[in-house]
Amino acid sequence: MNIVVTRMWAASAVVCLVALSSACSDNGGGSSSKSPSPTMGTGTVDTRNTAPGTVLVDATGRTLYMFEADTANTSTCTGDCAVVWPPLPAPAPPTAGGNAKANLLGTTVRPDGITQVTYNSHPLYLFQGDQQPGNTNGQGLNQFGALWYVLDANGNAIITGGSGGGGGGGY
């Protein structure tokens, strides 16, 4: 009987250690285990032709978005929102490629401590529903209390989903 109890205790200890290890490795994202991955993106902002027009993308060609609920250089997308819309992290000073303008790049520190890339004062996000470079599945979605839009090289939201896009979208 002591062998069974010892084995059960050992198995319980292993389960507890694994759970504790997982809880402690949330990449600085706070108490939620659903924190955004700071390894998504490199801080490079480039441009790419897509259905809505020429839009901002990350170094791998994944479309970048702005969130209407954000205010100038301040991200309001946290918790579950940041899981669906991971922030573009800035592990180093961000860089511009393609038609992206270096003078519009910046960074902001999010409530979860991650440094996020901004463009024309808009914090930038990826969308988990974009499975391949050039996808714009997040364009115009109303999620987490506001609309999400792609940005043109001037840092303006493209409001329409059609080719060429619109303008506007400042704070």
Side-chain angles (χ1 to χ4, degrees):
M1 183 126 151
N2 280 343
I3 293 174
V4 172
V5 171
T6 303
R7 285 185 181 162
M8 286 175 42
W9 181 86
S12 295
V14 169
V15 169
C16 288
L17 286 173
V18 169
L20 183 58
S21 170
S22 295
C24 293
S25 64
D26 71 352
N27 296 320
S31 61
S32 172
S33 63
K34 295 182 178 180
S35 61
S37 170
T39 60
M40 290 186 72
T42 62
T44 297
V45 176
D46 206 334
T47 55
R48 181 183 186 111
N49 290 326
T50 65
T54 300
V55 302
L56 299 180
V57 297
D58 73 356
T60 65
R62 290 194 57 203
T63 304
L64 297 170
Y65 298 86
M66 57 84 59
F67 184 39
E68 274 194 335
D70 288 346
T71 56
N73 292 311
T74 303
S75 172
T76 60
C77 178
T78 60
D80 287 341
C81 177
V83 173
V84 176
W85 298 91
L88 180 66
T95 57
N99 293 325
K101 299 176 182 178
N103 65 323
L104 295 180
L105 285 170
T107 61
T108 187
V109 177
R110 297 171 43 78
D112 56 16
I114 294 172
T115 301
Q116 182 175 5
V117 177
T118 63
Y119 195 85
N120 194 28
S121 300
H122 299 286
L124 297 178
Y125 304 87
L126 299 159
F127 177 51
Q128 75 172 8
D130 288 344
Q131 299 302 313
Q132 297 188 13
N135 285 165
T136 56
N137 297 318
Q139 174 65 357
L141 289 182
N142 187 348
Q143 292 185 337
F144 300 98
L147 294 167
W148 295 85
Y149 293 115
V150 294
L151 295 165
D152 65 20
N154 292 319
N156 297 314
I158 299 176
I159 304 299
T160 64
S163 193
Y171 287 119

